[in-house]
Amino acid sequence: MHRRLGAVVVVAALWACGGVTSSTPDGGKGDGGSSSSSGGSSSGGSSSSSGSSSSGSSSGSSSGSSSGGMDAGRVPTNHRPSDAQCATAPPAGNCSLQGGAPGMCQSDSTCTDGTNGRCVESGGGALFCLCTYDACVSDTACPTDQTCACHGSAYVGGQGNACTQGNCRVDTDCGGGAGYCSPAENTMSCGDLLGYYCHTPNDQCIDDTDCTGSGAGPQVCTYSATSNRWQCQVEGLCG
């Protein structure tokens, strides 16, 4: 009896120390004793640290979508905020010819048939001098569908104020387009003024510098009544 009790005590001591648990004296299964101690198979769930695929989908679609072809909001070199220039004093005539054909003026003092008469040289072709006068002092002096082109404006040359065609008078008339009313060159008349027209979102050019020219000759940016937009056109030459 004392021996059995001592054996039990020894077995209990071994069990407590995590020793060889298979040595049960009665040959039992010892379920708890297999202690497969898988503890720490640490499969870690395959640690599928896929890094959330960090694909950096930042496609960065900075395509620079400069829609419309031309620079949006670019201010044309020549445009018309108001008609105030028409009311200013015109510059003196520039005729430098002496003598000349009958009917030619020789000085401002000989131009007395209208307002602000001046003797100016022709803008193209054969050189001669003629009198020019101011036919209007503001847009309101012209028919409702015309603009008072002021002396000193682009393509007017030395000519006086005169009513001209177009579809705008000042920039604010072009609110539905690109916001600017500009003078257009008449490519068929030695660079004279064609009229005043609004820029549009469909324009192919804004200034002459946008036109590179072609085999047919130099080009300028002007308004096309056929296309209803500003585009590059071959400039007519004067001889």
Side-chain angles (χ1 to χ4, degrees):
M1 177 71 180
H2 289 292
R3 288 180 182 175
R4 289 180 61 85
L5 184 58
V8 170
V9 171
V10 171
V11 170
L14 288 173
W15 182 274
C17 293
V20 184
T21 58
S22 60
S23 59
T24 53
D26 56 358
K29 290 183 180 179
D31 300 342
S34 65
S35 175
S36 64
S37 177
S38 64
S41 69
S42 172
S43 63
S46 83
S47 174
S48 68
S49 151
S50 63
S52 110
S53 95
S54 173
S55 63
S57 66
S58 116
S59 62
S61 64
S62 77
S63 59
S65 63
S66 149
S67 62
M70 298 314 300
D71 302 331
R74 202 175 102 202
V75 181
T77 299
N78 297 314
H79 65 99
R80 199 166 193 257
S82 74
D83 62 355
Q85 184 174 332
C86 292
T88 62
N94 62 355
C95 181
S96 60
L97 300 179
Q98 299 298 320
M104 277 182 49
C105 59
Q106 295 182 9
S107 66
D108 291 354
S109 60
T110 61
C111 299
T112 58
D113 294 337
T115 304
N116 293 329
R118 293 170 296 132
C119 185
V120 299
E121 293 182 357
S122 57
L127 185 61
F128 62 93
C129 292
L130 73 165
C131 289
T132 184
Y133 304 94
D134 287 345
C136 54
V137 292
S138 67
D139 290 335
T140 55
C142 298
T144 55
D145 60 344
Q146 294 186 4
T147 301
C148 183
C150 309
H151 46 244
S153 298
Y155 314 121
V156 170
Q159 301 300 309
N161 299 349
C163 295
T164 186
Q165 64 183 355
N167 62 15
C168 62
R169 287 178 166 177
V170 294
D171 292 343
T172 53
D173 293 335
C174 305
Y180 296 102
C181 177
S182 294
E185 178 179 345
N186 186 345
T187 58
M188 302 303 293
S189 182
C190 297
D192 289 341
L193 178 67
L194 175 67
Y196 280 85
Y197 298 91
C198 288
H199 282 273
T200 78
N202 297 321
D203 291 350
Q204 292 186 334
C205 58
I206 297 177
D207 294 313
D208 290 347
T209 53
D210 297 322
C211 302
T212 57
S214 68
Q219 293 184 336
V220 294
C221 181
T222 191
Y223 185 79
S224 169
T226 303
S227 304
N228 294 318
R229 67 183 180 187
W230 289 74
Q231 60 188 38
C232 295
Q233 298 183 34
V234 176
E235 183 177 29
L237 301 179
C238 292

